[in-house]
Amino acid sequence: MSQVLTELATVLEQRKQEAADSSYVASLYAKGLDSILKKIGEEATETVIAAKDGNKEQIIYEMADLWFHCMVLLAEQGLHPDDVLNELQRRFGLSGLEEKAQRQK
């Protein structure tokens, strides 16, 4: 599954070097961080609404949009999906309370 994330991360990184009118992602990068963050907020809201409505197909669709735009943010910040996956791996097996307590130190 992470192969898809790796391939998408590669494409997103390439889009950073392209002209704004060449792709949707290139245009987001050209508009800057605020535009990327706005899209994440919009997609998060749409995901919440789909969940509230109980529409499983719409949840999947909106979650894909949300993850996509979060990956755009990662690339914009010079990060890779593996950075997030490594953090999730680090947390695996810890209780949420224990993990939160470790962050506060």
Side-chain angles (χ1 to χ4, degrees), residues 19-104:
D21 62 354
S22 67
S23 75
Y24 169 70
V25 172
S27 72
L28 268 180
Y29 289 135
K31 291 175 187 172
L33 181 59
D34 286 347
S35 289
I36 295 168
L37 297 175
K38 181 179 176 186
K39 282 304 295 181
I40 291 172
E42 290 171 6
E43 299 304 342
T45 300
E46 290 171 1
T47 301
V48 168
I49 291 168
K52 184 76 172 157
D53 291 344
N55 185 332
K56 292 181 191 239
E57 288 181 21
Q58 196 67 26
I59 293 169
I60 293 168
Y61 180 86
E62 297 300 346
M63 187 69 71
D65 283 351
L66 177 57
W67 285 14
F68 176 84
H69 287 91
C70 286
M71 288 187 62
V72 170
L73 174 63
L74 287 174
E76 192 275 339
Q77 295 288 308
L79 297 167
H80 190 275
D82 284 343
D83 298 319
V84 177
L85 294 174
N86 290 337
E87 176 60 15
L88 289 172
Q89 180 64 43
R90 183 192 70 78
R91 294 179 187 187
F92 191 76
L94 291 175
S95 78
L97 296 174
E98 182 181 356
E99 193 280 326
K100 186 175 180 179
Q102 286 179 359
R103 280 188 279 154
Q104 294 176 352

Side-chain angles (χ1 to χ4, degrees), residues 2-17:
S2 65
Q3 181 65 30
V4 171
L5 297 179
T6 299
E7 290 173 11
L8 180 55
T10 299
V11 171
L12 294 175
E13 193 63 35
Q14 292 168 348
R15 296 289 193 267
K16 288 168 66 175
Q17 309 306 317

